[in-house]
Amino acid sequence: MTELPPKAIGALQRQETRLAWGMLAPSIISVALIVILPLLAIFWISIKPVELADLRPPTPLAREALRGKLNVAGDVANIEYRLRNSHSTRPLASVELIDQIPEGLALGELDPRCDLVGASLRCDLGDWDGGHRERLRIPVTATESFVAGETDVRESVALVTGDSDNVLANLQFTVKNFVRIFEARDFWSVLWATVFYTVFGTIGALVVGLFAALLLNKSFAGRGLLRGLFLFPYVAPVIAVAFTWVTLFDPFSGSANAMLQQMGMTENPINFFGERPLALIMVTVFEIWRYFPLSFLFILARMQSVDSDMFEAADMDGASPFQKFRYLLLPQLLGILSVLFLLRFIWTFNKFDDIFLLTGGNAGTRTLTVNVYEQAFAVSDIGAGAAVAVVIFCCLLIFSLFYFWALRHEEEL
Amino acid sequence: MKPLQRGYIAGPVLLLLWSLTLVYSIAIFVTFAGGAPARPFLPAVIVVGALAGIGALQISGLAMLAGVSAIAGALLSLLGIGPLQFGGEFSQLAEAVVGAFVVPAISLTGRLMLQGTAWGELNRHEFEEAVIRFLTGFGLVFFIVIVMIPFFVMIATSLKSQQELLQNPLDYSIDLSKGWDLLRSYRELFADFMFGSYLWTSFVVSVVTVIVTLLFSIPGAYAVARLRFRGRREFSQSILLIYMVPMIVLALPIYMLFSITGLRNSLFGLILIYPVTTIPVALYILQGYFRGLPFEVEEAGLMDGLNRLSVIRRITLPLSLPSIASVSLYVFMIAWNEFLLAFMLLDDPSTFTLTRGVAMLNSSEIPRQHLMAGAVIATIPVLALFLGLERFITKGLTAGSVKG
């Protein structure tokens, strides 16, 4: 750095700073809302006993019906409230029912929990356990004025209210989520799948991308066309290509099996996405197939900015083609290769869609990210899903610490 | 490497590998295109390749080489030991004709590869160049095959009927006599599965995402590129850190929040989230562009009494239209292809985006050709857009990263 930052901040500078933050504010705020807040929420949820069913908090429900007929004055019937707690396990506290009794009805003996003030009936129903159900009957007798008025007893809606303890907001904590995921029998298999998929997927995509870039690093007719073609796997929607692979490698009706059988390479159909350990290899191959274009694109762009003088000089000195690649081109590509490795490593580690669509995480292909979904939605245990997410986050933290450590050492060299 | 560096070893070995590449690709191609059961005969493929290597080095005349290989290919096929065999209805004679084309194809292309390669001892240059020429040939065939096959299978399956698919999963020949009936799966998707509405929804969601992303990221990118403020360098370096967070980790709390607030199954909810996933990358690419624009023009504008905002509007934006276009395309592609959030947040078929609609087709009750037709519908717009503007997009994507 040649220029020194000014010591005192002038008015113009202050104005510019204000303007800059003002222009950045919408981006920062929106990203914070959608990224930082959910991240904090994940940490909170991971130490709470939350299940999928808890997203619908317990509410008291009431259905009002008239049992009997009130056609003539003096008819006796019951107004019946069918009451229940919507949640099967969580309790409700101090439930209260309020309803208007139509004019002209004489009430019989009231339930001890209820009393009538004017025309409004108020019942104090106490605490309900999860899944609580009951019927509350109010005996009524019709009078002349009720029959003449032809009113429906259900005209006024019965209101029930109750306090529920929201498990997301209370202070009840647990470490069960973490214990459960670490003790799960398949935890180590999940970790192994993640490591295999990430390492081989990243390196594979990088090597294949480098090969493709070397092919197109000379000019020939149709090169532009091929470059576009090579990018297809990356540009097409993941859902389209993933389902195509599933169709292609289907054990019963897939073309790949039919082809292998016809060529005499296999007797029985191979279940590519349903067998251990083949499924894990297949999802890794898919990952390489889908993401080699990205490495290809960046490596090719870097290759084309390499100075050609150097190669001419090397030619004069009699360097062989492999030597030119090894000692001239590769060192130039090292920067972009290491950046791509780092980015692809993290993104492959974070990848969810591909495996989810190909195998759904079956046959030994469940990586950590797929495990988040599996725990939260298939097992309906959101707390455990969040705990897996926290584990993922810690891994990413370690990666980035390692990255910054490597970066510092690089500078020292 | 040393023992390999002799023409009489390198030639046959390279052409043997090349013959494997070529014969297997031709077999796959012929099988898919015509439904003919082409079967490579491995020993013959190896022997023919090795012999082609010797021939390409020893026979000097081009016509002579072609003639000898054609006769050899035809003879081998007549004897039933040709490199490429067809079972069943193919007559021995037809097979011989195929052989008379396949073997010269190997030896003639092989000769190109062994250009300037001598029979005896090779120096390092000659040897490596031959290897590189083989790798180039192999690479081109390999990449074209692996990229094309899935897309070909996708399209061809969507044009088949359930019965045809079960009968022979290898026959992708297109029966043109069926006319418009070929597109039956597509018609049914639009008529019975509301794909027209999904297409429209995806389009609207993607366009809104592009607009919101640009509205947010253009001022931010300008501030990072041009204005001086404390934390600017750190900010521009850490924008992309956001992408370290996996989407599924964010999707879980978002799903919970949307369930509680009732935003699930609403496109408004989706549009709230999508731009946030694209703003950081758009901001990063755009600030790279803005930095590359000559500051002097803007300075002149400032001197002439324009304020910052009108400088942006009148000078910076018109100058950076190409970059804004390429960012828009990129964002459009991300939003169009997005699957995870749409899958988690939309349950009601009337609100589906295209990717969510295709996911719905993946059930055992819906025939495969419908699923593939859905995949084609989702792929075509984005591929067409990409092919039309490929140069644009790739330049924009790689611009910021390749500086040093």
Side-chain angles (χ1 to χ4, degrees):
Chain A
M1 285 280 278
T2 45
E3 55 176 337
L4 287 169
K7 293 242 164 60
I9 296 174
L12 257 178
Q13 173 92 51
R14 248 203 312 274
Q15 198 195 343
E16 200 166 310
T17 305
R18 249 202 320 273
L19 181 66
W21 286 112
M23 289 166 87
L24 276 170
S27 300
I28 296 179
I29 293 171
S30 61
V31 170
L33 278 179
I34 306 282
V35 177
I36 314 284
L37 274 188
L39 267 185
L40 295 178
I42 275 285
F43 279 94
W44 178 256
I45 299 162
S46 72
I47 46 170
K48 311 276 303 168
V50 190
E51 301 200 340
L52 202 54
D54 295 323
L55 294 186
R56 267 161 280 131
T59 38
L61 301 171
R63 270 174 65 190
E64 188 178 1
L66 184 67
R67 300 274 162 207
K69 289 201 170 79
L70 295 172
N71 294 337
V72 190
D75 275 358
V76 180
N78 277 318
I79 297 177
E80 186 183 78
Y81 298 98
R82 274 198 276 173
L83 303 160
R84 71 184 182 91
N85 180 350
S86 71
H87 202 281
S88 57
T89 49
R90 301 215 176 260
L92 276 164
S94 43
V95 183
E96 202 180 59
L97 175 120
I98 295 173
D99 196 15
Q100 302 295 318
I101 302 297
E103 225 170 289
L105 280 182
L107 295 191
E109 195 187 334
L110 275 179
D111 191 285
R113 292 171 295 179
C114 301
D115 61 310
L116 191 68
V117 182
S120 91
L121 175 79
R122 196 179 150 282
C123 302
D124 195 352
L125 301 171
D127 298 346
W128 286 359
D129 289 332
H132 176 92
R133 283 165 188 279
E134 70 167 274
R135 285 163 192 235
L136 179 71
R137 287 205 176 88
I138 309 289
V140 288
T141 315
T143 61
E144 290 291 347
S145 65
F146 178 80
V147 176
E150 284 187 5
T151 33
D152 186 354
V153 285
R154 286 184 301 181
E155 209 163 77
S156 65
V157 181
L159 285 177
V160 264
T161 52
D163 301 332
S164 66
D165 186 21
N166 190 337
V167 68
L168 282 172
N170 68 14
L171 290 176
Q172 184 191 345
F173 296 112
T174 175
V175 289
K176 264 210 197 106
N177 296 326
F178 286 98
V179 173
R180 206 174 306 150
I181 60 159
F182 282 119
E183 277 185 350
R185 247 182 318 131
D186 52 8
F187 179 77
W188 292 108
S189 110
V190 168
L191 213 60
W192 161 245
T194 313
V195 170
F196 183 91
Y197 179 70
T198 310
V199 171
F200 289 101
T202 307
I203 295 177
L206 221 57
V207 171
V208 176
L210 177 64
F211 184 29
L214 282 169
L215 286 180
L216 294 199
N217 192 28
K218 16 183 154 25
S219 48
F220 54 89
R223 172 166 167 252
L225 203 72
L226 281 181
R227 194 172 71 154
L229 183 75
F230 284 11
L231 292 171
F232 271 25
Y234 177 65
V235 176
V238 58
I239 184 152
V241 287
F243 283 151
T244 307
W245 274 58
V246 171
T247 306
L248 186 60
F249 289 102
D250 189 279
F252 305 111
S253 60
S255 308
N257 268 310
M259 182 81 80
L260 287 177
Q261 278 172 320
Q262 181 189 301
M263 291 184 178
M265 291 187 192
T266 170
E267 288 282 304
N268 301 314
I270 303 169
N271 193 356
F272 285 99
F273 285 114
E275 261 169 37
R276 272 169 215 258
L278 193 59
L280 185 56
I281 296 172
M282 283 303 290
V283 293
T284 312
V285 170
F286 178 81
E287 160 80 19
I288 295 173
W289 178 80
R290 189 162 141 70
Y291 292 100
F292 89 82
L294 199 74
S295 318
F296 155 73
L297 190 65
F298 282 89
I299 295 173
L300 186 63
R302 182 73 189 88
M303 275 181 185
Q304 285 172 348
S305 68
V306 169
D307 203 355
S308 62
D309 292 356
M310 206 163 56
F311 290 98
E312 280 161 27
D315 277 336
M316 303 286 264
D317 290 342
S320 79
F322 282 4
Q323 281 174 326
K324 277 189 283 183
F325 171 72
R326 169 70 188 79
Y327 295 106
L328 292 182
L329 191 57
L330 210 54
Q332 299 266 326
L333 297 179
L334 223 51
I336 190 78
L337 284 176
S338 49
V339 169
L340 277 175
F341 178 82
L342 188 82
L343 285 179
R344 292 288 338 142
F345 190 87
I346 291 170
W347 283 341
T348 312
F349 183 83
N350 287 347
K351 204 74 215 154
F352 167 81
D353 315 26
D354 304 35
I355 295 184
F356 179 70
L357 289 170
L358 288 172
T359 67
N362 294 321
T365 59
R366 201 196 300 165
T367 56
L368 279 169
T369 45
V370 179
N371 207 18
V372 174
Y373 185 89
E374 182 81 15
Q375 298 291 345
F377 294 98
V379 189
S380 304
D381 191 344
I382 288 194
V388 180
V390 169
V391 172
I392 292 178
F393 197 75
C394 292
C395 293
L396 288 171
L397 224 58
I398 294 171
F399 294 156
S400 49
L401 284 180
F402 175 76
Y403 168 67
F404 285 119
W405 176 82
L407 205 68
R408 221 186 19 242
H409 276 249
E410 190 115 320
E411 276 169 9
E412 277 170 15
L413 283 174
Chain B
M1 276 297 175
K2 209 69 190 160
L4 269 176
Q5 281 187 27
R6 277 162 243 241
Y8 55 85
I9 295 179
V13 168
L14 288 180
L15 283 212
L16 182 165
L17 295 171
W18 176 237
S19 145
L20 283 172
T21 317
L22 217 55
V23 173
Y24 274 88
S25 326
I26 292 174
I28 293 173
F29 178 79
V30 170
T31 308
F32 276 164
R39 201 178 319 109
F41 180 52
L42 195 59
V45 176
I46 292 173
V47 171
V48 164
L51 289 178
I54 295 170
L57 291 176
Q58 287 291 3
I59 302 174
S60 52
L62 215 57
M64 181 76 173
L65 179 63
V68 168
S69 341
I71 291 166
L75 272 177
L76 282 174
S77 298
L78 278 177
L79 290 173
I81 47 170
L84 196 58
Q85 303 187 343
F86 300 88
E89 68 257 47
F90 256 71
S91 71
Q92 208 73 12
L93 201 66
E95 214 162 277
V97 173
V98 173
F101 277 102
V102 170
V103 178
I106 297 169
S107 63
L108 289 179
T109 47
R111 190 191 177 85
L112 276 178
M113 270 172 204
L114 298 180
Q115 222 170 44
T117 311
W119 175 255
E121 199 96 6
L122 298 176
N123 68 28
R124 199 169 172 163
H125 280 250
E126 289 165 345
F127 174 68
E128 284 178 9
E129 253 149 33
V131 172
I132 285 176
R133 274 194 296 263
F134 160 71
L135 286 177
T136 309
F138 168 77
L140 289 178
V141 171
F142 172 76
F143 279 109
I144 291 173
V145 166
I146 61 158
V147 171
M148 289 295 279
I149 284 184
F151 289 94
F152 172 77
V153 166
M154 189 198 290
I155 294 172
T157 308
S158 74
L159 300 177
K160 291 266 152 186
S161 70
Q162 182 80 349
Q163 201 187 356
E164 290 167 316
L165 282 175
L166 286 176
Q167 224 167 45
N168 182 4
L170 283 177
D171 184 6
Y172 285 118
S173 58
I174 292 164
D175 184 8
L176 283 176
S177 65
K178 284 206 293 185
W180 288 109
D181 211 32
L182 274 177
L183 301 177
R184 218 177 99 201
S185 303
Y186 294 89
R187 210 177 47 226
E188 281 169 10
L189 283 187
F190 280 102
D192 308 335
F193 290 94
M194 299 201 291
F195 260 61
S197 129
Y198 301 162
L199 208 58
W200 175 244
T201 308
S202 261
F203 178 75
V204 170
V205 167
S206 307
V207 167
V208 173
T209 304
V210 170
I211 294 171
V212 176
T213 303
L214 288 182
L215 281 182
F216 279 49
S217 61
I218 288 177
Y222 184 85
V224 175
R226 281 282 187 264
L227 303 180
R228 278 163 300 158
F229 60 95
R230 199 163 289 175
R232 161 181 150 174
R233 170 196 276 274
E234 291 74 15
F235 189 87
S236 70
Q237 281 173 347
S238 55
I239 299 169
L240 292 181
L241 277 183
I242 290 295
Y243 290 112
M244 279 190 59
V245 184
M247 204 58 221
I248 180 79
V249 170
L250 299 183
L252 185 58
I254 290 171
Y255 172 88
M256 296 173 71
L257 182 75
F258 278 24
S259 293
I260 292 166
T261 56
L263 275 171
R264 258 176 70 203
N265 283 320
S266 79
L267 292 178
F268 175 71
L270 218 55
I271 289 169
L272 273 185
I273 311 272
Y274 275 10
V276 178
T277 64
T278 52
I279 285 173
V281 69
L283 206 155
Y284 183 77
I285 297 177
L286 283 176
Q287 60 108 15
Y289 271 108
F290 289 161
R291 233 179 262 254
L293 292 178
F295 185 47
E296 291 75 14
V297 192
E298 288 175 36
E299 229 166 18
L302 284 173
M303 299 292 258
D304 286 346
L306 288 176
N307 63 21
R308 276 285 179 189
L309 294 180
S310 37
V311 163
I312 297 177
R313 203 163 53 82
R314 294 186 183 193
I315 299 176
T316 316
L317 283 190
L319 279 176
S320 49
L321 266 185
S323 66
I324 291 176
S326 77
V327 168
S328 307
L329 281 170
Y330 187 54
V331 170
F332 185 90
M333 259 158 51
I334 294 180
W336 182 275
N337 289 351
E338 206 288 330
F339 160 73
L340 172 58
L341 286 169
F343 179 73
M344 287 181 78
L345 300 180
L346 304 177
D347 290 327
D348 173 5
S350 66
T351 60
F352 279 3
T353 61
L354 201 51
T355 49
R356 182 67 183 89
V358 177
M360 175 192 70
L361 296 179
N362 183 32
S363 100
S364 53
E365 286 142 38
I366 294 171
R368 283 278 130 173
Q369 70 271 23
H370 281 65
L371 177 65
M372 288 298 101
V376 172
I377 296 173
T379 309
I380 281 185
V382 73
L383 271 193
L385 207 64
F386 169 76
L387 274 186
L389 302 151
E390 186 240 331
R391 246 154 219 294
F392 232 27
I393 300 174
T394 52
K395 214 181 270 174
L397 263 180
T398 49
S401 62
V402 208
K403 291 234 166 76

